[in-house]
Every structure is written in structure tokens, then in C-alpha cells.
Amino acid sequence: MENIKEVRVRYAPSPTGMQHIGGVRTALFNYLFARSKGGKFILRLEDTDRTRYDEKYVKNLYDTLAWLGIDWDEGGDKGGEYGPYVQSERFELYKKYANELIEKGEAYYCFCDAERLERIRKIQTENKMAPGYDRNCRHLTEEEVKEKLASGVPHVIRLKVPMEGETKFHDHILGDIVWKNEDISPDPILLKSDGFPTYHLANIVDDHLMQISHVMRAQEWIPSTPLHVQMYKAFGWEHPEFCHLPMVNGSDGKKLSKRHGSTSLNEFRARGYLPQAIINYVALLGCSYEEGKEFYTLKELAEKFSLEHLNKAPAVFDYKKLEFYNANYIRQLSTEDLYKWTLPFITGTGDATLEINPENPQPKPNVGPQFSGVALGEDGEPYCVDKSMNMTSADVKETLMGLMPLIQERLKFLTEAAEMVHFMFTEPAVPPADQIIPKRIDAAKTKEVLEAAKEFVAAVFETDHEGAENFAKAKAEELGIKLGDFMMPIRMAVTGSRVSPPLIGSIHVLGKERSLKRIERTIATL
Ligand code: GLU
């Protein structure tokens, strides 16, 4: 039957940590689902855990979604018809609903203190019993409850989970799920003694009041779902449809973690990924679109997304594949945009300052003025650190813009731009001889190469790219060496580094005179 309910989905993170790939996948899929169905995407802050709460995580959430280009219709800082969308602003509501369950006989007051609970826990561990509350207060008489309440004994409110029978629900990805009620946590707390709700209560009340049609979240929430279904039943509410997304694992089949590489979005940013690449790749984690098609924009994804295309099997996070997407999207940027995206890494500002996890096995990228020779002034304009270069900010910008098309083909990460532009902003020290002399030829031959390099530089300026290339090929043949062995010493002389843009273009940007000077200098040291 055609589903006629309006699609209303939510991303409901707890601001207790930085946004990571798993959270982004959940946010993205909910967003895409809403957009594909002309529905609403809601952003709800589940900030009931006040001990782990930190304002910086809220900021990071907004910042990450904005960077990715994922926007929402209701919630967060936007408001909406069903607000507030921040759970800490809704505490009175949860109290009201917890009391409603008490009145309905679906929940009860529990007066057990921490000491007693600890005692039970100990006995359970000693006897290898399943942990959980022993339901002691479920059996108190009305009189006993009244008396304890009147004398102000601290209490919580617990749900009366049925002790027999089964809970059944359907999941869009996993199919029908049947769960024995005895396996549901025995009578979990809904309202804590300080009047704060637990995740379960706040989550269910809000999904109901905000008219959420589909709960789409990671598969690790499956064990909570039977309890949630029981809570909806206790309230007498219809539950939303469920859709538990497949796990995201590392290459070893274990849940993706810091051991595998970057996981937090800040770190992907610090490592020079583009949002387009992240969006495209993450959209394919557990979902397939068209056979054989690899590239999708956010807009295309929003048109094509469908619950039917979600996979059951865990997705494997492949950093190499993401790298492929990144290089690809970098190649698609306009020169202006490439400049805009690489400048923070060249100057060591903005995204380049985001924290990188020290446990990450991938090396830290070489970014900032010490690698590029370019820093950012207080006026927001780049300047050359080496004053003897006599470059104005306008010169620096022009040079960088000239380099952009050259480095574009070589970049897998935006971070790599820093080292690649360095040769233009300093007179590099002449590299040691063993770095200039190729393995297959000797010093004398290398000197011959560098002598010929002067003609090569002339060819670069007198002919076109092809002409310069042909000149190099002919010269290499004449000298009886491979083309690579002809180019390498020249590259080292001109740029002082192996990480540089293509040689002919580099010579062009550097200029004839400066190129020749660097070649002469190098010959003198051999
Ligand atoms: N606040 C929960 C989280 O941190 C939400 C889980 C859910 O979507 O129900 O992921």
C-alpha cells in the first residue's frame, strides 16, 4: 500500500562528542530521505546527559552540517511548529508524560537507593545472572507508595515492561523482528530522581509529539527498539516506522574507529577533504543507487534516494576510495575555488588548525607557512614570509592563482598544496648532490643535463608545451638517457623539491631568469 503519511525524519544527536562519520551518515540519509519524498528533516538536540554535555559539541554539530551543505527544516537554531527542539528546554513535558504513565498503571515509582541497586548488581555478577533491576518496587502497595512520597523519599519512575510474551516490529532493512520481552531491560528508568528524563523517555515523547514518521538510525540502536515499541504501547501511541542503517566497519571488519584512520569530520577537514567528496562517498555507505554510476551531487542524491536501495550488510569504509573521490572533486574545482579551498592549508589557518587525533596512524599533513612560505596577514591577504623575495600581497595572490591549474592535477588532498607552491616563495637551498643526481646516471652526465636545461628553459618560453616536451625528449635521446632522468635534475634545480607541480608549468610561473639562475647555481655545486 502506498504510504500517504508525510515523511518527517530527524537527526537526534547527543552533544557529547564531535561529529563523526557514523553520525554524518545518519544525518545525511535522513536528509536525503526527507528531500526525496518532499518531507521534512528535523534536527533535534538530545542533550539530556548533562554530565557529558559540552557547548562546543553543539557548535561542532552546526558547523559540520553547514560545511557539508546539509540543511534542516525544523529544529536546532531554526525553530518550528513542534519546538523547542532542544530536549533540555522540554523537561517539564517529560515529567508530565512520565506521570501520565503512572496514572495509566504503565509505570511505577521506585524508591530503591544507590546502595541497594549496587547490592543487587553484586549478587547478579557473583551468580552470573543477567544484570538489571529486580523489580522490587513494582510490587509496592498503593499505601506504601503514598507514604514514601509523602515523607519525601527520593524516587525515580520506571516503565512496567511486560514480563512475558514477545515484542514484534518491522524494520525497513532488517525485516520482521521478534524480541522476547524477558530480554528487554527489566523496567528501565524513565524519569531520574532529579526530574531529568532518560534518553528513552525523551526520545519517544519527542518522536511522537514531533510527528516523526520514520526513525532512521544506526543498527546499534536495535536493542533499544523493543523497549521503545513497548513505550509507545504504554502511551497508546502508534510507533513510527523503523529503519536501522547497516554498520560502518573498517577494512578488518571491525567497527570503524580511530585505529583505522580519521573518523571525526573535523579531522577529515584538517586532512584536506572536500565536502563534495565526503557527501558522495558517505551516501554510498550502505546504499546503492545506479549500477555503475559513481558520482553524485547532493542534489542528485536527494532525488534518487530510496529506502529500497538500503543494504543489510555492513558497509566497509575504504579510505582509498574516499581519496579517489576527493582527487576527483578537487579536479572539478574552478581556479578561484581551488585557491579558496587550498589557501587555509597553504597559510596554516582555518580548517588547517582543526585538531588531528594523535592516535591516527596516518601521518600529519605538512601545512602552513613553514612548508609553503606563505602566511595570512591580519588583513586576510596572503603574504610571502621571505621578505627578500620582495613580493607584495597582490604578487603572492597572482602567483598562487597561476600555480592552481598546475597543482590541480596532482592533488589528492587540499593539504598537499602547501609544499607544492613553496618553490615560488623562497630561493630554495640547492639540494644535496645525491638528490639531484638520478640513480641511473653519474655526476658528469647530470651536469650535461643541467647545461642542456638552459636550452630547455628557452624552449619553454619560445615554443608551446608540446614544443618544450619534444625538446626534452630529443635531448634525452641525444644524451642517451631516459626522459625521467633528464627531467629530474632540472626539477630539483628549479624547485628544490620532489613535490612540485609539473616542470614545464613551474618554469613558466617562475620565469626565465629565475629558472636559469637556479640551474646555474646547481651546476656550480656539482
Ligand atoms: N541521541 C541518540 C544518539 O545519540 C539518538 C538515537 C536515535 O536516533 O534514537 O544517537
Side-chain angles (χ1 to χ4, degrees):
M1 202 179 77
E2 181 68 12
N3 189 355
I4 46 163
K5 247 195 315 191
E6 187 199 10
V7 167
R8 289 181 54 83
V9 287
R10 70 344 184 242
Y11 177 46
S14 303
T16 54
M18 292 296 194
Q19 290 296 304
H20 53 84
I21 276 294
V24 165
R25 202 264 311 252
T26 303
L28 178 63
F29 280 29
N30 276 288
Y31 167 85
L32 294 177
F33 183 41
R35 292 291 170 268
S36 71
K37 294 281 182 195
K40 293 283 185 304
F41 176 52
I42 291 132
L43 182 63
R44 184 171 76 220
L45 275 187
E46 301 211 326
D47 58 346
T48 53
D49 180 353
R50 302 309 288 181
T51 54
R52 294 197 297 149
Y53 173 88
D54 198 315
E55 185 65 38
K56 72 174 181 213
Y57 300 136
V58 179
K59 201 184 151 288
N60 175 251
L61 166 71
Y62 293 148
D63 195 37
T64 303
L65 294 181
W67 185 77
L68 289 166
I70 298 178
D71 58 352
W72 54 94
D73 305 299
E74 296 169 27
D77 50 2
K78 260 191 199 146
E81 212 182 315
Y82 302 88
Y85 295 84
V86 178
Q87 290 190 329
S88 57
E89 293 169 23
R90 300 167 65 83
F91 280 174
E92 285 314 309
L93 212 67
Y94 308 128
K95 266 188 214 163
K96 176 181 147 223
Y97 281 99
N99 286 324
E100 191 182 305
L101 286 187
I102 293 258
E103 276 156 35
K104 284 184 160 167
E106 299 285 352
Y108 61 91
Y109 294 106
C110 166
F111 303 92
C112 294
D113 58 16
E115 226 172 280
R116 178 164 191 280
L117 295 177
E118 180 54 29
R119 243 185 359 256
I120 312 173
R121 204 191 55 79
K122 244 176 130 181
I123 296 170
Q124 284 168 336
T125 353
E126 276 165 19
N127 295 296
K128 297 198 165 54
M129 291 155 67
Y133 182 54
D134 66 352
R135 295 179 153 131
N136 184 62
C137 293
R138 185 162 171 162
H139 314 292
L140 294 179
T141 64
E142 222 170 290
E143 284 309 301
E144 284 171 315
V145 172
K146 250 189 207 154
E147 204 184 285
K148 283 183 194 285
L149 286 178
S151 54
V153 183
H155 58 268
V156 301
I157 294 181
R158 290 182 184 271
L159 182 76
K160 269 188 199 167
V161 174
M163 284 147 62
E164 288 160 7
E166 292 170 339
T167 301
K168 288 188 196 142
F169 61 94
H170 181 78
D171 184 275
H172 269 282
I173 301 180
L174 301 168
D176 290 330
I177 293 182
V178 183
W179 203 278
K180 277 198 209 120
N181 289 340
E182 62 191 62
D183 292 337
I184 298 179
S185 158
D187 300 0
I189 297 175
L190 302 178
L191 203 69
K192 299 186 229 176
S193 55
D194 54 10
F196 281 27
T198 57
Y199 151 73
H200 301 296
L201 177 67
N203 187 271
I204 263 54
V205 167
D206 285 352
D207 279 349
H208 174 72
L209 295 179
M210 294 176 186
Q211 301 197 16
I212 297 303
S213 63
H214 296 72
V215 166
M216 192 186 285
R217 60 185 170 200
Q219 234 172 65
E220 62 206 14
W221 291 97
I222 275 276
S224 295
T225 310
L227 168 67
H228 293 177
V229 171
Q230 284 301 335
M231 290 172 67
Y232 282 106
K233 221 183 210 168
F235 278 116
W237 298 336
E238 199 183 312
H239 66 71
E241 295 182 39
F242 295 107
C243 190
H244 288 89
L245 302 170
M247 299 290 295
V248 180
N249 293 339
S251 51
D252 55 359
K254 301 214 175 86
K255 192 179 163 186
L256 190 71
S257 80
K258 295 178 187 113
R259 288 178 301 106
H260 295 108
S262 310
T263 53
S264 91
L265 251 283
N266 270 5
E267 187 160 336
F268 282 103
R269 289 172 69 167
R271 288 185 176 278
Y273 287 89
L274 282 173
Q276 299 90 307
I278 302 264
I279 290 278
N280 196 148
Y281 183 62
V282 170
L284 303 174
L285 288 175
C287 191
S288 20
Y289 294 81
E290 263 168 60
E291 191 66 34
K293 184 168 151 71
E294 288 189 299
F295 294 100
Y296 299 92
T297 62
L298 188 58
K299 198 165 158 270
E300 269 178 291
L301 291 165
E303 280 160 18
K304 291 184 197 289
F305 185 87
S306 154
L307 294 184
E308 280 78 59
H309 296 148
L310 293 169
N311 311 329
K312 224 186 239 180
V316 176
F317 196 89
D318 180 351
Y319 287 91
K320 280 274 164 236
K321 189 82 199 198
L322 178 57
E323 193 177 303
F324 158 81
Y325 278 107
N326 207 49
N328 206 286
Y329 281 105
I330 288 178
R331 283 201 292 276
Q332 289 181 29
L333 293 176
S334 66
T335 302
E336 258 315 315
D337 282 344
L338 185 62
Y339 172 77
K340 191 190 89 189
W341 279 106
T342 52
L343 193 63
F345 299 103
I346 291 170
T347 58
T349 57
D351 279 3
T353 63
L354 294 173
E355 203 186 330
I356 285 186
N357 192 308
E359 287 164 53
N360 191 327
Q362 298 157 284
K364 269 194 161 195
N366 294 337
V367 294
Q370 67 272 41
F371 293 101
S372 68
V374 178
L376 200 67
E378 273 169 21
D379 57 357
E381 297 296 329
Y383 68 88
C384 182
V385 179
D386 182 348
K387 293 287 170 251
S388 70
M389 300 295 289
N390 282 324
M391 292 176 95
T392 65
S393 272
D395 294 338
V396 172
K397 188 166 175 193
E398 199 188 307
T399 306
L400 284 173
M401 287 292 278
L403 285 170
M404 289 299 139
L406 291 181
I407 65 174
Q408 191 155 24
E409 286 295 314
R410 305 227 156 162
L411 293 180
K412 287 210 220 61
F413 304 101
L414 299 166
T415 45
E416 292 165 338
E419 284 184 302
M420 285 192 193
V421 301
H422 195 210
F423 74 101
M424 284 303 303
F425 300 102
T426 184
E427 279 310 325
V430 177
D434 64 333
Q435 283 185 32
I436 304 169
I437 304 168
K439 294 225 160 43
R440 281 182 294 241
I441 64 179
D442 60 11
K445 199 54 138 185
T446 305
K447 238 177 173 169
E448 281 180 54
V449 168
L450 290 174
E451 288 296 342
K454 294 182 213 165
E455 289 168 66
F456 173 62
V457 169
V460 168
F461 287 94
E462 278 152 26
T463 68
D464 54 7
H465 193 276
E466 207 188 324
E469 232 170 35
N470 287 339
F471 177 90
K473 278 184 202 154
K475 255 300 172 227
E477 210 178 303
E478 197 184 307
L479 292 169
I481 59 174
K482 294 217 149 81
L483 181 62
D485 292 340
F486 180 76
M487 301 296 253
M488 209 272 266
I490 308 178
R491 170 189 303 286
M492 291 305 286
V494 171
T495 71
S497 156
R498 284 204 171 101
V499 263
S500 67
L503 184 56
I504 295 173
S506 300
I507 292 174
H508 245 294
V509 185
L510 189 63
K512 192 170 179 178
E513 229 174 280
R514 287 173 73 191
S515 301
L516 288 174
K517 221 167 95 192
R518 289 186 185 185
I519 290 167
E520 292 287 6
R521 244 180 10 159
T522 311
I523 294 174
T525 67
L526 282 180

